[in-house]
Amino acid sequence: MTASTGHSPVRRRVVLAVCCCLAAAILGIAFIVVPNFRTGEAPLRHVVATVPDSGQVSLHLILGMPPADAGLAHYVEHLAWLNSVANPGKGNARHSNAWTGEISVGYWLDGEPQDLDEMLETLSNIFAPIDLPRKFAEEERNIIQREYERSIAGNIDARADEAMNEFLYRNNQIATSLIGTPNAIMAFEYDDARALHAATHRPGNTTLVAIGDVTERQVLRALRKLKLPEPRDDVAKIGLPQFELAAPTETVLHFPSPDATRRMIWRRVIELETPVQFDLLEAQTALLRDILDTSLPGGLAGPLRFDAFVARNLDIGVWPIDENNVEMRLTAIPDSDVTFSELRSEFEDTLNEIAVKGLPHTTFSRILDRFDGFWPDWDDKDETANWMADYAFDRISLLREPLPKSELKLLAGELSLETTNDLLRRLSGEGRTAVALIGLEDLVE
């Protein structure tokens, strides 16, 4: 089982790691997928991506999750999976796993096409009330504790990100730790987990994503055979939570460790003046990231690495949180004789200088020409199908509706130097900023 933020061909941020994986996710395998997936309303909302002649089927049930105590949704995911898919008395688990994201949880099961009915029936057991022995359920907290030790306690970058998330996303659902603290994990109450499960794990709050050698008609036929729980008035589909950026300010967090490579993580969240459609904004931010990552005029690599020699390594990311808010992240290793304060000052001064001047048209044009890889080659059916399958899975995991291919193909024409420069100016200006200094804070003679 996993706690993470999900997957995307252009995904932004990964938070936590694997807990109890039985097999690798089928989405990593290359296959042919019919790019025009369909959705249905009854008896269960579903998205189907057909994989002709693949000989495999992967089923995913994805549910929205409301705000909850840190780590509690992850505990619920563990118990629900053990209670249903992994329970030998309730079906063969085959290759299966589960994951917890910031706003959703997912359960998947894969097998052969002829076993579709049995697989779907097994996976639908996540709707059944959790009925595990209390002692067994409480012992599962030890499994999560070991996951914490491996993913957080033993990972200084993860600890830094947990602290930065809490500050940057304050008062929003995504600020909450997916796994919790050691004390919080051991304080999880079985009854609280069962209550959260009952309030969320219902067909009306679920989308089935079926990928593989299966058709829409076959999935619908299998769904109609299921005996799903009756609808409940108090359980509705949980939608995308609204993000409200807290007041612009900054914090500097110190994580001194003589064993860690000295590095600075700089993150800033800004609010846009006007909202931008999410898929378009994701493309705009990815394009800006590619420009800033180059040594071309307007990029950061040239000034910081090859001109001023303040950084030995740079890793840059820019992504949308929603239609109104964008985050930028820089991870940089200072050169041997450069302090953290010098590195940060040089970086922010350079970013501001580029924003004031604006990106050169020649640099924008060159990077835009290379940006074709952000989307698939729309004339290549196999490449398009694979990309669309990943895209659909990502959007459902984010509780968003995937756009049809016809609309996605139009987005490239909306990228411009003007909108890219405007985004850059916003990111270099006022925002909520967190800086983590990892390793020795001062230079040692």
Side-chain angles (χ1 to χ4, degrees):
M1 284 162 282
T2 303
S4 74
T5 54
H7 169 75
S8 166
V10 288
R11 189 60 180 146
R12 311 174 294 283
R13 187 161 52 92
V14 175
V15 179
L16 293 177
V18 173
C19 168
C20 181
C21 184
L22 294 185
I26 193 173
L27 286 179
I29 301 173
F31 46 62
I32 302 171
V33 182
V34 176
N36 294 318
F37 33 75
R38 298 174 60 190
T39 62
E41 293 300 325
L44 183 70
R45 185 180 185 277
H46 58 279
V47 173
V48 180
T50 301
V51 185
D53 304 318
S54 67
Q56 293 178 306
V57 175
S58 182
L59 302 179
H60 306 255
L61 289 181
I62 299 173
L63 304 85
M65 292 298 286
D69 294 340
L72 183 59
H74 187 208
Y75 183 45
V76 168
E77 170 242 297
H78 275 236
L79 298 185
W81 185 80
L82 291 168
N83 184 69
S84 56
V85 184
N87 191 325
K90 297 187 177 180
N92 182 359
R94 295 184 181 87
H95 292 169
S96 177
N97 208 340
W99 51 265
T100 298
E102 296 165 331
I103 58 176
S104 60
V105 298
Y107 305 84
W108 63 263
L109 177 66
D110 66 84
E112 298 178 353
Q114 63 266 27
D115 296 327
L116 174 63
D117 289 359
E118 181 189 349
M119 290 168 57
L120 189 53
E121 182 179 1
T122 298
L123 197 59
S124 69
N125 284 323
I126 68 161
F127 299 129
I130 295 176
D131 186 24
L132 297 168
R134 182 175 294 271
K135 186 174 186 298
F136 177 82
E138 292 174 349
E139 287 175 348
E140 187 66 17
R141 298 178 302 193
N142 296 323
I143 302 297
I144 299 177
Q145 190 76 262
R146 291 199 290 273
E147 182 179 355
Y148 174 89
E149 291 166 358
R150 182 176 61 251
S151 302
I152 305 295
N155 186 331
I156 197 168
D157 283 349
R159 297 202 306 275
D161 272 325
E162 288 261 290
M164 298 171 88
N165 292 344
E166 184 179 358
F167 174 82
L168 289 170
Y169 310 142
R170 182 159 296 166
N171 300 325
N172 289 280
Q173 183 172 339
I174 63 173
T176 304
S177 170
L178 295 183
I179 196 167
T181 64
N183 288 339
I185 292 168
M186 298 314 295
F188 290 154
E189 292 289 345
Y190 182 37
D191 291 339
D192 291 342
R194 295 184 68 201
L196 181 57
H197 175 272
T200 56
H201 286 55
R202 304 290 294 184
N205 186 41
T206 304
T207 299
L208 167 68
V209 180
I211 299 174
D213 199 354
V214 66
T215 66
E216 157 80 11
R217 185 175 182 179
Q218 290 169 327
V219 170
L220 192 56
R221 186 188 307 126
L223 281 171
R224 286 173 176 159
K225 295 178 183 178
L226 284 181
K227 295 180 179 179
L228 296 173
E230 291 297 322
R232 278 176 32 188
D233 293 339
D234 60 334
V235 178
K237 180 179 173 63
I238 297 171
L240 184 68
Q242 187 173 4
F243 182 89
E244 294 287 346
L245 184 63
T249 186
E250 71 170 55
T251 188
V252 179
L253 306 168
H254 299 268
F255 296 85
S257 171
D259 299 322
T261 300
R262 293 177 67 241
R263 55 193 178 276
M264 177 186 75
I265 302 175
W266 181 100
R267 292 169 56 185
R268 174 175 290 165
V269 180
I270 58 97
E271 184 175 6
L272 300 176
E273 189 170 347
T274 57
V276 178
Q277 195 277 333
F278 188 79
D279 294 271
L280 175 58
L281 186 56
E282 193 166 54
Q284 290 175 344
T285 55
L287 177 60
L288 177 58
R289 179 264 167 207
D290 286 358
I291 293 171
L292 293 176
D293 195 46
T294 69
S295 56
L296 296 171
L300 290 170
L304 297 182
R305 294 188 62 189
F306 308 120
D307 297 343
F309 297 102
V310 296
R312 290 192 288 115
N313 181 275
L314 295 175
D315 183 48
I316 301 167
V318 187
W319 61 87
I321 293 174
D322 62 5
E323 289 81 356
N324 297 282
N325 298 275
V326 171
E327 179 169 345
M328 178 175 177
R329 176 190 178 112
L330 171 84
T331 302
I333 298 176
D335 218 330
S336 56
D337 59 347
V338 176
T339 65
F340 282 130
S341 60
E342 291 170 338
L343 174 62
R344 179 183 177 184
S345 177
E346 190 70 30
F347 159 65
E348 291 183 341
D349 288 348
T350 302
L351 183 67
N352 292 336
E353 182 179 345
I354 295 172
V356 169
K357 290 183 178 179
L359 298 168
H361 186 274
T362 52
T363 296
F364 176 81
S365 298
R366 286 184 63 179
I367 301 303
L368 184 61
D369 288 342
R370 306 173 190 168
F371 196 63
D372 291 341
F374 179 81
W375 292 289
D377 178 353
W378 297 113
D379 294 326
D380 186 323
K381 292 183 179 179
D382 293 357
E383 182 180 337
T384 298
N386 279 279
W387 192 96
M388 290 293 288
D390 279 351
Y391 166 75
F393 179 84
D394 174 71
R395 287 302 181 265
I396 298 299
S397 299
L398 294 177
L399 307 183
R400 293 180 175 276
E401 293 295 326
L403 291 181
K405 183 176 69 173
S406 58
E407 294 185 31
L408 289 168
K409 292 172 67 174
L410 299 176
L411 296 180
E414 299 188 48
L415 300 175
S416 69
L417 177 59
E418 180 182 2
T419 57
T420 307
N421 273 325
D422 182 64
L423 180 58
L424 176 59
R425 284 191 291 269
R426 302 290 298 182
L427 285 166
S428 67
E430 189 176 59
R432 194 166 178 87
T433 306
V435 181
L437 307 178
I438 297 175
L440 296 177
E441 298 179 36
D442 298 311
L443 295 173
V444 177
E445 297 296 337

CSV table of all heavy atoms in Angstrom, one decimal, residues 314-349:
chain,number,residue,atom,x,y,z
A,314,LEU,N,21.3,22.1,-10.2
A,314,LEU,CA,20.0,22.7,-10.0
A,314,LEU,C,18.9,21.8,-10.5
A,314,LEU,O,19.1,21.0,-11.5
A,314,LEU,CB,19.9,24.0,-10.9
A,314,LEU,CG,20.8,25.2,-10.7
A,314,LEU,CD1,20.6,26.2,-11.8
A,314,LEU,CD2,20.4,25.8,-9.3
A,315,ASP,N,17.8,21.8,-9.8
A,315,ASP,CA,16.6,21.0,-10.2
A,315,ASP,C,15.4,21.9,-10.0
A,315,ASP,O,15.1,22.4,-8.9
A,315,ASP,CB,16.5,19.7,-9.3
A,315,ASP,CG,15.3,18.9,-9.8
A,315,ASP,OD1,15.2,18.7,-11.0
A,315,ASP,OD2,14.5,18.5,-8.9
A,316,ILE,N,14.7,22.2,-11.1
A,316,ILE,CA,13.6,23.2,-11.1
A,316,ILE,C,12.3,22.5,-11.4
A,316,ILE,O,12.2,21.7,-12.3
A,316,ILE,CB,13.9,24.3,-12.1
A,316,ILE,CG1,15.3,25.0,-11.8
A,316,ILE,CG2,12.8,25.3,-12.2
A,316,ILE,CD1,15.8,25.9,-12.9
A,317,GLY,N,11.3,22.9,-10.7
A,317,GLY,CA,9.9,22.5,-11.0
A,317,GLY,C,8.9,23.6,-10.9
A,317,GLY,O,9.1,24.5,-10.0
A,318,VAL,N,7.9,23.6,-11.8
A,318,VAL,CA,6.9,24.6,-11.7
A,318,VAL,C,5.6,23.9,-12.1
A,318,VAL,O,5.5,23.1,-13.1
A,318,VAL,CB,7.1,25.8,-12.7
A,318,VAL,CG1,6.0,26.9,-12.5
A,318,VAL,CG2,8.5,26.4,-12.7
A,319,TRP,N,4.5,24.0,-11.3
A,319,TRP,CA,3.3,23.3,-11.5
A,319,TRP,C,2.1,24.0,-10.9
A,319,TRP,O,2.3,24.8,-10.0
A,319,TRP,CB,3.4,21.9,-11.0
A,319,TRP,CG,3.6,21.8,-9.5
A,319,TRP,CD1,2.6,21.9,-8.5
A,319,TRP,CD2,4.8,21.8,-8.8
A,319,TRP,NE1,3.1,21.8,-7.3
A,319,TRP,CE2,4.5,21.8,-7.4
A,319,TRP,CE3,6.1,21.7,-9.1
A,319,TRP,CZ2,5.5,21.7,-6.4
A,319,TRP,CZ3,7.1,21.6,-8.2
A,319,TRP,CH2,6.8,21.6,-6.8
A,320,PRO,N,0.9,23.8,-11.4
A,320,PRO,CA,-0.3,24.4,-10.9
A,320,PRO,C,-0.8,23.6,-9.7
A,320,PRO,O,-0.8,22.3,-9.7
A,320,PRO,CB,-1.3,24.3,-12.0
A,320,PRO,CG,-0.9,23.1,-12.8
A,320,PRO,CD,0.6,23.0,-12.7
A,321,ILE,N,-1.3,24.3,-8.7
A,321,ILE,CA,-2.0,23.6,-7.6
A,321,ILE,C,-3.5,23.5,-7.9
A,321,ILE,O,-4.1,22.5,-7.7
A,321,ILE,CB,-1.8,24.4,-6.3
A,321,ILE,CG1,-0.4,24.3,-5.8
A,321,ILE,CG2,-2.8,23.9,-5.2
A,321,ILE,CD1,0.0,25.2,-4.6
A,322,ASP,N,-4.0,24.6,-8.5
A,322,ASP,CA,-5.3,24.6,-9.1
A,322,ASP,C,-5.3,25.7,-10.2
A,322,ASP,O,-4.3,26.1,-10.6
A,322,ASP,CB,-6.4,24.8,-8.0
A,322,ASP,CG,-6.3,26.1,-7.3
A,322,ASP,OD1,-5.4,26.9,-7.7
A,322,ASP,OD2,-7.1,26.3,-6.4
A,323,GLU,N,-6.5,26.1,-10.6
A,323,GLU,CA,-6.6,27.1,-11.6
A,323,GLU,C,-6.1,28.5,-11.2
A,323,GLU,O,-5.9,29.3,-12.1
A,323,GLU,CB,-8.1,27.2,-12.1
A,323,GLU,CG,-8.6,26.0,-12.9
A,323,GLU,CD,-9.0,24.8,-12.1
A,323,GLU,OE1,-8.8,24.9,-10.8
A,323,GLU,OE2,-9.5,23.9,-12.6
A,324,ASN,N,-6.0,28.7,-9.9
A,324,ASN,CA,-5.7,30.0,-9.4
A,324,ASN,C,-4.3,30.1,-8.8
A,324,ASN,O,-3.8,31.2,-8.5
A,324,ASN,CB,-6.7,30.4,-8.3
A,324,ASN,CG,-8.1,30.5,-8.9
A,324,ASN,OD1,-8.4,31.5,-9.6
A,324,ASN,ND2,-8.9,29.5,-8.7
A,325,ASN,N,-3.6,29.0,-8.5
A,325,ASN,CA,-2.4,29.0,-7.7
A,325,ASN,C,-1.3,28.1,-8.3
A,325,ASN,O,-1.6,27.0,-8.8
A,325,ASN,CB,-2.6,28.5,-6.3
A,325,ASN,CG,-3.6,29.4,-5.5
A,325,ASN,OD1,-3.2,30.5,-4.9
A,325,ASN,ND2,-4.9,29.1,-5.6
A,326,VAL,N,-0.1,28.6,-8.3
A,326,VAL,CA,1.0,28.0,-9.0
A,326,VAL,C,2.2,27.9,-8.0
A,326,VAL,O,2.4,28.8,-7.2
A,326,VAL,CB,1.5,28.7,-10.2
A,326,VAL,CG1,2.8,28.1,-10.8
A,326,VAL,CG2,0.4,28.6,-11.3
A,327,GLU,N,2.9,26.8,-8.0
A,327,GLU,CA,4.1,26.6,-7.1
A,327,GLU,C,5.3,26.5,-8.0
A,327,GLU,O,5.3,25.8,-9.0
A,327,GLU,CB,3.9,25.4,-6.2
A,327,GLU,CG,5.1,25.1,-5.3
A,327,GLU,CD,4.8,24.1,-4.2
A,327,GLU,OE1,3.7,23.8,-4.0
A,327,GLU,OE2,5.8,23.6,-3.6
A,328,MET,N,6.4,27.0,-7.5
A,328,MET,CA,7.7,26.8,-8.1
A,328,MET,C,8.7,26.3,-7.0
A,328,MET,O,8.6,26.6,-5.8
A,328,MET,CB,8.3,28.2,-8.6
A,328,MET,CG,9.7,28.0,-9.2
A,328,MET,SD,10.3,29.6,-9.9
A,328,MET,CE,11.9,29.1,-10.4
A,329,ARG,N,9.5,25.3,-7.4
A,329,ARG,CA,10.5,24.7,-6.5
A,329,ARG,C,11.9,24.7,-7.2
A,329,ARG,O,12.0,24.4,-8.3
A,329,ARG,CB,10.0,23.3,-6.2
A,329,ARG,CG,11.0,22.5,-5.3
A,329,ARG,CD,10.6,21.0,-5.3
A,329,ARG,NE,11.6,20.2,-4.5
A,329,ARG,CZ,11.3,19.7,-3.3
A,329,ARG,NH1,10.1,19.8,-2.8
A,329,ARG,NH2,12.2,19.0,-2.7
A,330,LEU,N,12.8,25.0,-6.4
A,330,LEU,CA,14.2,24.9,-6.8
A,330,LEU,C,15.0,24.1,-5.7
A,330,LEU,O,14.9,24.5,-4.5
A,330,LEU,CB,14.9,26.3,-6.9
A,330,LEU,CG,16.4,26.3,-7.1
A,330,LEU,CD1,16.7,26.1,-8.6
A,330,LEU,CD2,17.1,27.5,-6.6
A,331,THR,N,15.7,23.1,-6.1
A,331,THR,CA,16.7,22.4,-5.3
A,331,THR,C,18.0,22.7,-5.8
A,331,THR,O,18.3,22.4,-7.0
A,331,THR,CB,16.4,20.9,-5.2
A,331,THR,OG1,15.0,20.7,-4.8
A,331,THR,CG2,17.3,20.2,-4.3
A,332,ALA,N,18.9,23.2,-5.0
A,332,ALA,CA,20.3,23.6,-5.5
A,332,ALA,C,21.3,23.2,-4.5
A,332,ALA,O,21.2,23.3,-3.3
A,332,ALA,CB,20.3,25.1,-5.8
A,333,ILE,N,22.4,22.7,-5.1
A,333,ILE,CA,23.6,22.4,-4.3
A,333,ILE,C,24.6,23.5,-4.4
A,333,ILE,O,25.1,23.8,-5.6
A,333,ILE,CB,24.2,21.0,-4.7
A,333,ILE,CG1,23.2,19.9,-4.5
A,333,ILE,CG2,25.5,20.8,-4.0
A,333,ILE,CD1,23.7,18.6,-5.0
A,334,PRO,N,24.9,24.2,-3.4
A,334,PRO,CA,25.9,25.3,-3.5
A,334,PRO,C,27.3,24.9,-3.8
A,334,PRO,O,27.7,23.7,-3.5
A,334,PRO,CB,25.8,26.0,-2.1
A,334,PRO,CG,25.4,24.9,-1.2
A,334,PRO,CD,24.5,24.0,-2.0
A,335,ASP,N,28.0,25.7,-4.5
A,335,ASP,CA,29.4,25.4,-4.8
A,335,ASP,C,30.2,25.3,-3.5
A,335,ASP,O,29.7,25.8,-2.4
A,335,ASP,CB,30.0,26.4,-5.7
A,335,ASP,CG,31.0,25.8,-6.8
A,335,ASP,OD1,31.6,24.7,-6.4
A,335,ASP,OD2,31.1,26.3,-7.9
A,336,SER,N,31.4,24.8,-3.5
A,336,SER,CA,32.1,24.5,-2.3
A,336,SER,C,32.4,25.7,-1.4
A,336,SER,O,32.5,25.5,-0.2
A,336,SER,CB,33.5,23.8,-2.7
A,336,SER,OG,34.2,24.6,-3.5
A,337,ASP,N,32.5,26.8,-2.0
A,337,ASP,CA,32.9,28.0,-1.2
A,337,ASP,C,31.7,29.0,-1.1
A,337,ASP,O,31.9,30.2,-0.8
A,337,ASP,CB,34.1,28.7,-1.7
A,337,ASP,CG,33.9,29.2,-3.2
A,337,ASP,OD1,32.9,28.7,-3.8
A,337,ASP,OD2,34.7,29.9,-3.7
A,338,VAL,N,30.5,28.5,-1.3
A,338,VAL,CA,29.3,29.4,-1.4
A,338,VAL,C,28.4,29.1,-0.2
A,338,VAL,O,28.1,27.9,0.1
A,338,VAL,CB,28.5,29.2,-2.7
A,338,VAL,CG1,27.2,30.0,-2.7
A,338,VAL,CG2,29.4,29.6,-3.9
A,339,THR,N,28.0,30.1,0.5
A,339,THR,CA,27.1,29.9,1.7
A,339,THR,C,25.6,29.8,1.2
A,339,THR,O,25.3,30.2,0.1
A,339,THR,CB,27.2,31.1,2.7
A,339,THR,OG1,26.7,32.3,2.0
A,339,THR,CG2,28.6,31.3,3.1
A,340,PHE,N,24.7,29.4,2.1
A,340,PHE,CA,23.3,29.3,1.7
A,340,PHE,C,22.8,30.7,1.4
A,340,PHE,O,22.0,30.8,0.5
A,340,PHE,CB,22.5,28.7,2.9
A,340,PHE,CG,22.6,27.2,3.0
A,340,PHE,CD1,23.0,26.6,4.2
A,340,PHE,CD2,22.4,26.4,1.9
A,340,PHE,CE1,23.0,25.2,4.3
A,340,PHE,CE2,22.5,25.0,1.9
A,340,PHE,CZ,22.8,24.4,3.1
A,341,SER,N,23.1,31.7,2.2
A,341,SER,CA,22.6,33.0,2.0
A,341,SER,C,23.0,33.6,0.6
A,341,SER,O,22.3,34.2,0.0
A,341,SER,CB,23.0,34.0,3.1
A,341,SER,OG,24.4,34.0,3.2
A,342,GLU,N,24.3,33.3,0.3
A,342,GLU,CA,24.8,33.7,-1.0
A,342,GLU,C,24.0,33.0,-2.2
A,342,GLU,O,23.7,33.6,-3.2
A,342,GLU,CB,26.3,33.5,-1.1
A,342,GLU,CG,27.1,34.4,-0.2
A,342,GLU,CD,28.6,34.0,-0.2
A,342,GLU,OE1,28.9,32.8,-0.5
A,342,GLU,OE2,29.4,34.8,0.2
A,343,LEU,N,23.8,31.7,-2.0
A,343,LEU,CA,23.1,31.0,-3.0
A,343,LEU,C,21.7,31.5,-3.2
A,343,LEU,O,21.2,31.7,-4.3
A,343,LEU,CB,23.1,29.5,-2.6
A,343,LEU,CG,22.3,28.6,-3.5
A,343,LEU,CD1,22.8,28.6,-5.0
A,343,LEU,CD2,22.2,27.2,-3.0
A,344,ARG,N,21.0,31.7,-2.1
A,344,ARG,CA,19.6,32.2,-2.2
A,344,ARG,C,19.6,33.5,-2.8
A,344,ARG,O,18.7,33.8,-3.7
A,344,ARG,CB,18.9,32.1,-0.8
A,344,ARG,CG,17.5,32.6,-0.9
A,344,ARG,CD,16.8,32.7,0.5
A,344,ARG,NE,15.5,33.3,0.3
A,344,ARG,CZ,14.6,33.6,1.3
A,344,ARG,NH1,15.0,33.3,2.5
A,344,ARG,NH2,13.4,34.1,1.0
A,345,SER,N,20.4,34.4,-2.3
A,345,SER,CA,20.4,35.8,-2.8
A,345,SER,C,20.7,35.8,-4.4
A,345,SER,O,20.0,36.5,-5.1
A,345,SER,CB,21.5,36.6,-2.1
A,345,SER,OG,21.5,37.9,-2.6
A,346,GLU,N,21.7,35.0,-4.8
A,346,GLU,CA,22.0,35.0,-6.2
A,346,GLU,C,20.8,34.5,-7.0
A,346,GLU,O,20.5,35.0,-8.1
A,346,GLU,CB,23.3,34.2,-6.4
A,346,GLU,CG,23.8,34.3,-7.8
A,346,GLU,CD,24.5,35.7,-8.1
A,346,GLU,OE1,24.9,36.3,-7.2
A,346,GLU,OE2,24.5,36.1,-9.3
A,347,PHE,N,20.2,33.4,-6.5
A,347,PHE,CA,19.1,32.8,-7.2
A,347,PHE,C,17.9,33.8,-7.3
A,347,PHE,O,17.4,34.0,-8.4
A,347,PHE,CB,18.6,31.5,-6.5
A,347,PHE,CG,17.2,31.1,-6.8
A,347,PHE,CD1,16.9,30.8,-8.1
A,347,PHE,CD2,16.2,31.2,-5.8
A,347,PHE,CE1,15.5,30.4,-8.4
A,347,PHE,CE2,14.9,30.8,-6.1
A,347,PHE,CZ,14.6,30.4,-7.4
A,348,GLU,N,17.5,34.4,-6.2
A,348,GLU,CA,16.3,35.3,-6.3
A,348,GLU,C,16.6,36.5,-7.1
A,348,GLU,O,15.8,37.0,-7.8
A,348,GLU,CB,15.9,35.7,-4.8
A,348,GLU,CG,15.3,34.5,-4.1
A,348,GLU,CD,14.9,34.9,-2.7
A,348,GLU,OE1,15.3,35.9,-2.2
A,348,GLU,OE2,14.1,34.1,-2.1
A,349,ASP,N,17.9,37.1,-7.0
A,349,ASP,CA,18.2,38.2,-7.8
A,349,ASP,C,18.2,37.9,-9.3
A,349,ASP,O,17.7,38.7,-10.1
A,349,ASP,CB,19.6,38.7,-7.4
A,349,ASP,CG,19.7,39.4,-6.1
A,349,ASP,OD1,18.6,39.7,-5.5
A,349,ASP,OD2,20.8,39.6,-5.6
